[in-house]
Amino acid sequence: MSTSTSAQAARPKHPMPFVRVEVCVLGLSESGLQVLLGQREAEPFAGQWALPGGALRIDLDEDLDAAARRVMHERLSLTLPFLRQMVAVGSKTRDLDRAPWALSVAYRALVWVDQVQPLAGKRMSGLAWRPVDEAQSDHSLAFDHRDLIALAVRQTRDEVEALTLPGGFVPPTFTLGELQALCEQILGRALDKSSFRRKLHDRELVRPIEGAMKGGANRPAQVFELCR
Amino acid sequence: MSTSTSAQAARPKHPMPFVRVEVCVLGLSESGLQVLLGQREAEPFAGQWALPGGALRIDLDEDLDAAARRVMHERLSLTLPFLRQMVAVGSKTRDLDRAPWALSVAYRALVWVDQVQPLAGKRMSGLAWRPVDEAQSDHSLAFDHRDLIALAVRQTRDEVEALTLPGGFVPPTFTLGELQALCEQILGRALDKSSFRRKLHDRELVRPIEGAMKGGANRPAQVFELCR
DNA sequence: TCAAAAGTGTTAGGCATACACCCATGT
DNA sequence: ACATGGGTGTATGCCTAACACTTTTGA
């Protein structure tokens, strides 16, 4: 649509803020939801725990989502399958040590804890999983990251409650028992089997795969896949 | 918390994107929801209709919300009472005429149409109210502003459905009839009087003001205020 | 035969819709 | 008297939680 003859940067009239992305990676395990945290090495908040993140690189990142993917790929050597933007926060005082004005775009993601081997990265002395309940009441986290964790947990749980199943996170095939266990781990509470299945059926969210059955130490279960 | 000895800006290692805020102002009127649009004078999208917005000014704006308030105050000479962030969008190609990488933080607001007198502003040849239904199907809007309008309408309506009443927008005192009419205008459909009132009562959302009654050409109505 | 998980049916209660109905006031 | 909007009660149906129950396998 643009009729400009040049796509090169006009130097902006005013200085722009320092822009970062932060990612709240939630991890599923038998012992409830976990969150991935790293210990900061540099100011501000040196030594304190924080969400992993990194600066936006306008030379490397096509768009904001790509920036979040790149930053997390550098940290985890893993392309996060389920990544959603939560909110943008920014102010003059956010990161005084590095810039007079800092803006962070916060994302959330969801993985299995055993898919990520906590490793040390740039500017972070290692990464560690922490239970979300613990993190949400930890007032020593850097920046406003405690709020961001609470927001990520709330949004993720709301999505599961509404059975807006995280496409890209749910495995391609599964039994209904596995799917229910997954939702229960995210919610942190038990669900009623009958109600859960009726909802899935009525809203046509899952489809049985003809002939595919999964057997264990008990009665074999029908294997399903997501609709669409 | 920071132990840095200096709060002055370190020059960032990498160039930063051009950051703007855009505001989707929804307007209430007897003829349904409206949205405030302006006609662009400069590239990109010169001549096309767009949401009002402006560049973030790190020298003027304390934080993102303040930036949105300032930008809209310049345009409307009005401090928007109800302002919420929706999403941040950004990419290399967003605004090629002005910058190689552009990021917009989108807000939504809600006002009475008669509180805003459409006037001409900087870089906009006037502002005009347009019905949201019309705007949502108008593919000639600049940038992705059609999507942003749809998002604003959906979020606003969801809030009213859930009776998360827009604090700061609902007048300080009102009758239940007025409140219901307000919600109906936002939703664009009629509500059942009895159900509406029962919900308000059960969730303790409103409180009658002792002795305060509002009379018209019919039976006087109890005046209420929001709880908390 | 038993434990364990799959899978189904049934019941009771909460909530929302729709609608009917009275009340109070100005014209 | 009557139109108008305020205000309240009630019946119906839907959705859900809760729980009981049967089925099928491996151990």
Side-chain angles (χ1 to χ4, degrees), chain A residues 2-4 9-10 14 16-17 19 43 56-58 61-64 85 87-88 90-92 96-98 100-101, chain B residues 2-4 7 9-10 14 16-17 19 43 56-58 61-64 85 87-88 90-92 97-98 100-101:
Chain A
S2 165
T3 60
S4 169
H14 303 289
M16 284 297 142
V19 178
E43 292 296 337
L56 175 71
R57 291 285 302 275
I58 71 172
D61 304 318
E62 191 58 35
D63 56 29
L64 279 176
Q85 187 189 121
V87 71
S91 70
K92 276 185 175 175
L96 279 179
D97 290 274
R98 284 180 289 194
W101 220 103
Chain B
S2 166
T3 59
S4 169
H14 303 290
M16 284 296 141
V19 178
E43 291 298 337
L56 176 70
R57 291 285 302 275
I58 71 172
D61 303 318
E62 191 59 35
D63 56 30
L64 279 176
Q85 187 189 123
V87 71
S91 73
K92 276 185 175 173
D97 290 273
R98 284 180 289 195
W101 222 102

Side-chain angles (χ1 to χ4, degrees), chain A residues 4 9 14-15 56 74 76 78 89 94 96 121 141 165 175 190 199 215 217:
Chain A
S4 169
H14 303 289
L56 175 71
E74 289 175 3
L76 306 181
L78 172 70
V89 287
R94 184 170 181 82
L96 279 179
L141 296 185
L165 296 173
T175 69
K199 243 181 282 190

